[in-house]
């Protein structure tokens, strides 16, 4: 497994675990509190910050524990990266329309902010899955 | 399962003849071992430049190393 493929797996784990934990906490709070009163901002910023820190820490740990001379990315990694990023961009563009629609109908900020975050997460997951499929099945 | 590329190659045989490992060939042409493996398995179609580089390692013409089926 190439270094870039390991990276993709790492991003997938981070991209799934942290948002799932965030939405689980938020939905739990939404059960007992009106959404307009939920203090979601610190939690949302924390989830984004934690994802960034986790990606950096895991990258360092992977490099220390499993690093080799084959850590470089080559033309195949670049091509797979472009394919994944392109699909992720389409998903992000479409998913952002949901947030735009919420803004246009005057929905609570809670729903708009979380719809944008969900769009980020969905795009990142789809992009990473496309990359992993390309690594495994070829293209 | 349909292979992602119709380009086939005899890199594995040529490596065996020249006693080269995938890693050594990868180093010679500046890619990762996994990319050489993907090319050999037909999971990745290399760029024209890389195809020339690989052929040059084996001192063989590119059409001997790589093949593409004729349209029926």
């Amino acid at each position: 497994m190439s270094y870039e493929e390991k990276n993709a797996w790492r991003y997938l784990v981070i991209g799934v675990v942290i948002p799932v934990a965030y939405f689980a906490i938020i939905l739990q709070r939404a059960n007992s509190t009106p959404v307009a009163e939920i203090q979601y901002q610190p939690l949302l910023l924390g989830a984004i910050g934690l994802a960034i820190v986790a990606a950096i820490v895991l990258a360092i740990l992977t490099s220390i524990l499993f690093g080799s001379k084959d850590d470089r990315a080559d033309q195949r990694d670049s091509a797979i990266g472009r394919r994944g990023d392109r699909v992720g961009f389409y998903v992000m563009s479409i998913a952002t329309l949901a947030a735009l629609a919420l803004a246009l109908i005057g929905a609570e900020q809670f729903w708009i902010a979380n719809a944008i975050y969900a769009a980020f997460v969905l795009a990142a997951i789809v992009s990473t899955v496309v990359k992993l499929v390309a690594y495994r099945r070829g293209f | 399962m349909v292979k992602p590329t119709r380009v086939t190659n005899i890199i594995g045989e040529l490596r065996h003849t020249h006693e080269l490992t995938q890693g050594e060939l990868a180093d010679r042409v500046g890619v990762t071992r996994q990319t050489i493996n993907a090319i050999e398995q037909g999971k990745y179609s290399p760029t024209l430049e890389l195809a020339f580089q690989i052929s040059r390692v084996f001192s063989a013409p590119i059409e001997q190393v790589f093949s593409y089926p004729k349209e029926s």
Side-chain angles (χ1 to χ4, degrees):
Chain A
M1 189 185 294
S2 72
Y3 183 75
E4 290 300 317
E5 188 179 349
K6 284 180 199 159
N7 264 342
W9 280 109
R10 195 164 57 225
Y11 289 135
L12 184 63
V13 170
I14 293 169
V16 170
V17 171
I18 294 174
V20 163
Y22 166 77
F23 283 117
I25 294 168
I26 285 294
L27 289 174
Q28 196 178 22
R29 288 185 187 176
N31 273 337
S32 54
T33 316
V35 291
E37 294 170 21
I38 295 175
Q39 291 294 309
Y40 68 93
Q41 297 90 338
L43 207 55
L44 181 54
L45 290 172
I48 293 169
L50 185 62
I52 294 168
V53 171
I56 294 168
V57 169
L58 277 175
I60 293 168
L61 283 177
T62 310
S63 189
I64 292 169
L65 295 174
F66 309 109
S68 72
K69 65 172 183 173
D70 259 358
D71 283 1
R72 65 193 173 211
D74 64 11
Q75 58 174 248
R76 175 169 161 261
D77 296 310
S78 303
I80 289 173
R82 279 195 300 275
R83 171 179 285 208
D85 291 344
R86 192 179 68 235
V87 175
F89 170 76
Y90 292 139
V91 172
M92 181 75 203
S93 303
I94 293 165
T96 305
L97 290 177
L100 182 64
L102 287 168
L104 290 174
I105 63 171
E108 294 281 356
Q109 277 188 5
F110 171 88
W111 293 114
I112 298 168
N114 281 289
I116 293 171
Y117 179 58
F120 283 148
V121 170
L122 188 63
I125 291 172
V126 171
S127 169
T128 309
V129 168
V130 167
K131 290 175 191 176
L132 289 171
V133 169
Y135 273 116
R136 294 283 102 189
R137 290 193 184 169
F139 74 106
Chain B
M1 191 180 94
V2 178
K3 287 207 168 186
T5 174
R6 295 175 70 196
V7 177
T8 56
N9 64 79
I10 56 165
I11 295 173
E13 294 169 37
L14 290 168
R15 274 198 308 101
H16 185 71
T17 308
H18 288 74
E19 296 182 341
L20 273 178
T21 64
Q22 288 184 338
E24 287 164 347
L25 176 59
D27 286 340
R28 296 272 290 270
V29 296
V31 296
T32 61
R33 186 194 61 75
Q34 288 80 8
T35 292
I36 295 296
N37 186 47
I39 294 169
E40 285 187 14
Q41 290 185 15
K43 287 183 173 180
Y44 174 60
S45 182
T47 61
L48 190 55
E49 191 172 350
L50 179 57
F52 272 111
Q53 287 174 326
I54 291 171
S55 302
R56 193 156 293 173
V57 169
F58 299 120
S59 304
I62 195 168
E63 63 269 25
Q64 185 188 329
V65 182
F66 295 92
S67 306
Y68 191 74
K70 288 181 181 166
E71 296 297 328
S72 54

